[in-house]
Amino acid sequence: DAMVIQNPRYQVTQFGKPVTLSCSQTLNHNVMYWYQQKSSQAPKLLFHYYDKDFNNEADTPDNFQSRRPNTSFCFLDIRSPGLGDTAMYLCATRRTGDSLVLTEAFFGQGTRLTVV
Amino acid sequence: QKEVEQNSGPLSVPEGAIASLNCTYSDRGSQSFFWYRQYSGKSPELIMSIYSNGDKEDGRFTAQLNKASQYVSLLIRDSQPSDSATYLCAGYTGGGNKLTFGTGTQLKVEL
C-alpha cells in the first residue's frame, strides 16, 4: 500500500497558469519535504516542514509556495509557472523520534509537471 | 564545494560482477547517510541506510561509512540487469533536517 501519495501523477499546465500539487501520507510522519528534480539532476530541496515549522531554502524561487494544513497533507503551489519549472516534483516524509539519529525519508511516486 | 558528491558515471559492469559506487560529503557534522535507487521516470527508493563507521550488509548490498575520510560507498554483489538504475547518495547537512542528495551515479549491468 502506498504510504506517501502524490496527486496528480502527471500535470500539464500553461505558462503562467497557477498549479497546485498535493501530497498526503498515512505514516503520521512529522517532517515533510518537497523536492524538484530536473532531468539527469539530483533532487533539489525546495522547502520542508518540521511539524508546523516551515523552512524555505534560500534559493527557492518566490514563485513556489507551500501549505501544510495538517499532519497528513502538504501542498506545493506554483503561482506563475515558467518553462524552466518543468520537472518531477517529489514529496518525502520522515519521522523524528527520541533518538538523535536522523533517519530515512520515504518518497511518494512524484508528480511530473510539464509547463507549455 | 558540493555538500554531497558522486561520480555521475555511467558505470558499466557485467552481470554477476561487483559494482562499487562512491560518495563524498563536505559537512563533517553529518551523521546519517542513505543510498537510494532511482529507475528512469520513477521516484527514489531507499535501499540502504548507515549511521556509524564501518560496514552494513543487507543481502547483496553493503554500505560502508568512513567519517574520518568523509566517504560513503555502496557495493552491489552479483549484479543483475535489474540493478541498472541511478544510485543517489544522500545525507543530512547543515546540522538540521535538510536531506541533501548527490547527483547520482548511473549503473548499467550488462548481460
Side-chain angles (χ1 to χ4, degrees), chain A residues 31 33 35 37 41-43 45 48 50 57 88 90 94 96 101-110 112, chain B residues 32-34 36 38 40-46 49 51 88 92 95-104:
Chain A
V31 183
Y33 300 89
Y35 286 88
Q37 188 178 27
Q41 296 185 19
L45 184 62
H48 74 275
Y50 187 110
E57 292 300 301
M88 171 86 89
L90 297 163
R94 181 173 77 81
T96 61
V101 173
L102 300 177
T103 55
E104 63 272 13
F106 295 93
F107 283 82
Q109 318 98 304
R112 183 169 294 280
Chain B
S32 305
F33 297 92
F34 310 94
Y36 287 84
Q38 187 174 30
S40 181
K42 303 295 185 181
S43 65
E45 171 193 12
L46 179 74
S49 58
Y51 305 108
L88 297 163
Y92 289 101
N97 291 286
K98 179 179 177 180
L99 183 60
T100 302
F101 286 83
T103 52

Side-chain angles (χ1 to χ4, degrees), chain B residues 1-66:
Chain B
Q1 183 182 10
K2 292 183 180 178
E3 293 173 295
V4 180
E5 292 201 65
Q6 298 178 251
N7 290 326
S8 60
L11 172 66
S12 292
V13 300
E15 184 178 6
I18 296 175
S20 178
L21 306 166
N22 303 313
C23 172
T24 58
Y25 61 95
S26 60
D27 185 348
R28 192 168 283 279
S30 296
Q31 299 289 323
S32 305
F33 297 92
F34 310 94
W35 284 99
Y36 287 84
R37 178 175 62 199
Q38 187 174 30
Y39 293 112
S40 181
K42 303 295 185 181
S43 65
E45 171 193 12
L46 179 74
I47 54 171
M48 289 289 286
S49 58
I50 187 163
Y51 305 108
S52 56
N53 272 330
D55 296 357
K56 179 182 177 182
E57 186 174 321
D58 184 1
R60 296 187 295 113
F61 299 97
T62 299
Q64 298 173 319
L65 174 59
N66 183 324

Side-chain angles (χ1 to χ4, degrees), chain A residues 32-46:
Chain A
M32 292 186 79
Y33 300 89
W34 278 107
Y35 286 88
Q36 178 193 63
Q37 188 178 27
K38 297 185 178 181
S39 181
S40 301
Q41 296 185 19
K44 177 180 177 298
L45 184 62
L46 296 173

